[in-house]
Amino acid sequence: MEMNRRQFLTYLGTGTAALASLATGIPAFAADKGLSGKTADHLFGLEDKHKPAKVKFKPIQATNKDELVLPQGYKYDVVALYGDKINAKGDTFGFNADFTCFLPIEGSSEHGLLWVNHEYLGELEYYVTGYDALHADPKNNTRTSAQIEKYLYSLGGSIIEVKKQNGKWTLISDSKYGRRVSGLTKHTLTGPAAGSAAVGGAREVTGTFANCSGGVTLWNTILSCEENFDSVVADTKLKDETHYGWVVEVDPFDPNSVPKKHTALGRFSHENTAMTLAPNGQLVVYMGDDANDQYVYKYVSRGSYSKSTGKANARLLEEGTLYVANFGKGKWIALDYGKNEALQKAVDSTGKPLFTSQADVLVKCREAAKAVGATAMDRPEDLEVHPIDGSVFISLTNNSKHGNFYGQIVRLFPKDNNHAAEEFTFEIFAAGGPQSGFAAPDNLAFDSAGNLWVVTDISSSSMNSGIYKTFGNNGVFFIPTSGSDKGVAAQFASAPVGAEMTGPWFAPDEKTLFMSVQHPGENLESYEAPTSHWPKGGTSIALPGVVAITGF
């Protein structure tokens, strides 16, 4: 018998219901205010029926239009664009928006804070710093100090206050909460690598960038993930790349708080975090390393979560065990230098030990994962925990080296439904390709009825050509995880030319879906001839930003 979401949350009780709601992109405190029981029912006809969800919108067709295309009956508001003012002192919204998450103010679904990641500049850097990255010699970095400062300021993350007024979502440009956490912001290191020789003895570092996806903690802070940091380090002439590649924690409601980089969660090209609890209360964080032939990780805290402890629960991200997955054996392998002989015996090509401490293991996670025999995967990007059955969904975007051009979504089942367990099984939930209508799955999000929302990441250089031509621009897809349509994708949105739709996140009442429009106009040949003019049209230069989709 299949149990619908309302029955499931009633069965669990309010405490666990709050946790389950987190996986949908609804913070735990919103669930505590009674919102979690009123969310997706209106979307999927669950008010009076105990049946698996059915898509209620008319799916769109693939398109190459330079527009954000939605099904009939839906619309979007542009909430913030690059350069928009976000507070009274004049800070501005960053570039290439990615992960988004909405944190309600006083439990409201129409007024809150929005955190938005800002990932990279790439060839569009010219519009930010004036540096002609499109034609520059990568071996001769001639960026000035002023250009580097602009570069670093434009990345990281933005905290913005947003409100729905007269039926339209708007940005509060003089908000007391408005804040930039950028490549120029001071951060504190925590965990085993802090102060170690592996990070040059640093306990404080400057800046966060390459912020791809992320997550929200059970104590309602942001976890923002540093992904492809190496190119930014090179472009901005920074000296110590070990200060980057971490998971960053930010308190959006405290403008004076100092962001933390949690070294216990490892250093690699982080896509996102998916936080949940083991039956004994241990905190578990799932993560993927977004690159060809890299690995899937999870972190299990030493201590247990306590709701009454509030933000002090952040200590759980400082002491615990980092694991990496071996899919061939269905096992999680502890990356624990003190207990794992493979790490103690690992040497480089000259016979020198690769690791001499746990700090070394955390800083060189990729080498550690390889040394213990973890399974190299096809670009593991977003991981999310199903809000009803607790299974873990993993988007594997693609890996052309293995002939995997379209990617797939894997579903992992922890042994005995215990996220701290060291064994698991898995299945291929959905495969990309012409037969399924989508390719290169990237960010994932669940609604509270347990349906999966998937965005795609076909590279701008491959889009609308060759084997990817039939898919059109990147899109957003709705995929039920139960019922007769289980695993069948229906396209909900299509991005503007050159762009990705990224960071899907529902407001608590699930009547608004926040998303970013990242790098519209990428893959251009000349700055005088933009390939996209979104969102202003005409001859304007395309601008990345965040939108609010309504009509649900």
Side-chain angles (χ1 to χ4, degrees):
M1 180 184 77
E2 290 189 338
M3 181 181 294
N4 76 9
R5 181 186 162 279
R6 185 184 297 281
Q7 292 171 313
F8 176 77
L9 295 183
T10 301
Y11 170 75
L12 288 179
T14 57
T16 311
L19 173 62
S21 73
L22 185 73
T24 72
I26 302 169
F29 63 76
D32 289 343
K33 293 181 180 292
L35 293 169
S36 64
K38 303 175 183 178
T39 49
D41 295 359
H42 72 281
L43 284 173
F44 307 107
L46 295 180
E47 299 97 331
D48 303 311
K49 302 175 184 178
H50 296 173
K51 296 181 179 180
K54 293 282 188 180
V55 60
K56 292 185 72 174
F57 60 87
K58 183 179 179 181
I60 67 169
Q61 298 298 311
T63 175
N64 59 7
K65 292 181 179 179
D66 186 28
E67 177 56 282
L68 171 46
V69 180
L70 299 170
Q72 184 177 358
Y74 294 80
K75 72 178 185 71
Y76 69 91
D77 299 323
V78 176
V79 179
L81 295 170
Y82 168 66
D84 284 350
K85 180 183 172 185
I86 65 170
N87 59 25
K89 66 180 183 180
D91 279 318
T92 55
F93 193 74
F95 200 73
N96 266 352
D98 201 311
F99 171 66
T100 72
C101 59
F102 177 83
L103 301 170
I105 292 177
E106 297 181 351
S108 174
S109 290
E110 298 188 347
H111 183 204
L113 301 184
L114 201 64
W115 167 273
V116 184
N117 276 358
H118 303 295
E119 187 175 6
Y120 71 101
L121 299 184
E123 64 196 35
L124 301 177
E125 180 185 348
Y126 179 79
Y127 299 124
V128 176
T129 71
Y131 185 75
D132 187 355
L134 189 63
H135 303 105
D137 179 359
K139 297 180 180 180
N140 182 24
N141 185 350
T142 61
R143 292 176 180 85
T144 66
S145 58
Q147 286 174 322
I148 287 174
E149 184 175 3
K150 287 181 180 179
Y151 189 123
L152 290 171
Y153 178 77
S154 70
L155 303 183
S158 293
I159 300 165
I160 60 176
E161 184 177 352
V162 296
K163 192 171 187 179
K164 192 175 183 182
Q165 302 178 97
N166 300 318
K168 182 178 180 179
W169 282 96
T170 57
L171 167 67
I172 308 301
S173 62
D174 59 352
S175 170
K176 65 179 180 180
Y177 297 110
R179 181 185 179 190
R180 287 300 318 282
V181 178
S182 74
L184 305 172
T185 304
K186 296 293 185 183
H187 291 65
T188 299
L189 293 181
T190 77
S196 71
V199 294
R203 293 189 178 275
E204 182 182 80
V205 299
T206 300
T208 183
F209 43 71
N211 305 80
C212 191
S213 189
V216 172
T217 68
L218 294 174
W219 49 96
N220 303 311
T221 57
I222 306 299
L223 294 180
S224 178
C225 293
E226 298 177 338
E227 193 188 46
N228 296 314
F229 56 87
D230 48 348
S231 61
V232 182
V233 169
D235 287 348
T236 57
K237 306 177 184 179
L238 294 173
K239 295 180 180 180
D240 197 336
E241 68 171 25
T242 65
H243 295 178
Y244 311 99
W246 304 104
V247 173
V248 181
E249 183 179 10
V250 181
D251 184 350
F253 285 99
D254 182 359
N256 297 316
S257 60
V258 177
K260 303 173 183 177
K261 296 194 179 188
H262 291 297
T263 69
L265 275 63
R267 175 176 169 270
F268 45 87
S269 291
H270 288 271
E271 175 73 17
N272 81 313
T273 64
M275 182 176 287
T276 189
L277 292 180
N280 65 358
Q282 285 178 289
L283 192 73
V284 180
V285 183
Y286 290 96
M287 300 168 286
D289 185 348
D290 179 14
N292 286 339
D293 302 325
Q294 293 305 323
Y295 307 97
V296 173
Y297 299 85
K298 78 171 179 181
Y299 169 85
V300 181
S301 67
R302 179 180 298 175
S304 297
Y305 170 77
S306 172
K307 181 180 176 182
S308 62
T309 304
K311 293 177 183 177
N313 280 294
R315 64 178 174 76
L316 298 175
L317 297 175
E318 300 178 15
E319 296 184 12
T321 302
L322 184 65
Y323 294 85
V324 66
N326 182 313
F327 282 81
K329 296 180 179 179
K331 292 185 180 296
W332 291 100
I333 306 169
L335 295 177
D336 185 330
Y337 180 77
K339 296 179 180 179
N340 194 318
E341 289 188 7
L343 296 173
Q344 297 168 10
K345 295 178 180 179
V347 296
D348 63 17
S349 59
T350 67
K352 181 181 177 181
L354 273 173
F355 318 103
T356 60
S357 66
Q358 184 63 19
D360 285 343
V361 170
L362 294 170
V363 169
K364 297 185 284 188
C365 263
R366 288 178 169 177
E367 293 93 331
K370 184 176 182 179
V372 301
T375 303
M377 305 294 283
D378 292 347
R379 285 187 64 194
E381 294 211 43
D382 215 307
L383 286 83
E384 298 292 342
V385 180
H386 194 288
I388 295 178
D389 67 20
S391 59
V392 182
F393 284 66
I394 308 169
S395 61
L396 300 176
T397 299
N398 53 31
N399 188 343
S400 60
K401 289 168 39 177
H402 297 170
N404 181 3
F405 296 98
Y406 297 126
Q408 66 268 353
I409 299 170
V410 167
R411 189 176 196 173
L412 184 150
F413 302 92
K415 185 178 180 180
D416 299 326
N417 294 318
N418 179 2
H419 288 284
E422 296 187 357
E423 297 181 30
F424 63 88
T425 58
F426 72 96
E427 68 180 19
I428 304 300
F429 172 74
Q435 80 289 348
S436 59
F438 71 91
D442 189 344
N443 296 153
L444 308 175
F446 283 104
D447 58 49
S448 54
N451 300 293
L452 191 62
W453 296 75
V454 181
V455 304
T456 61
D457 180 16
I458 301 170
S459 69
S460 55
S461 60
S462 299
M463 198 183 304
N464 285 296
S465 64
I467 62 170
Y468 297 104
K469 188 171 184 178
T470 60
F471 301 102
N473 295 346
N474 279 311
V476 182
F477 296 82
F478 167 92
I479 307 180
T481 61
S482 64
S484 60
D485 290 333
K486 174 182 175 181
V488 179
Q491 187 164 358
F492 175 77
S494 178
V497 169
E500 296 174 65
M501 302 297 297
T502 58
W505 195 277
F506 283 102
D509 63 3
E510 288 188 331
K511 293 183 179 179
T512 300
L513 175 61
F514 294 99
M515 300 192 76
S516 292
V517 179
Q518 191 185 53
H519 58 72
E522 199 172 61
N523 199 38
L524 77 177
E525 296 182 0
S526 166
Y527 294 118
E528 289 73 36
T531 58
S532 173
H533 303 283
W534 186 89
K536 297 182 179 181
T539 59
S540 65
I541 296 170
L543 293 170
V546 64
V547 300
I549 299 172
T550 54
F552 296 99

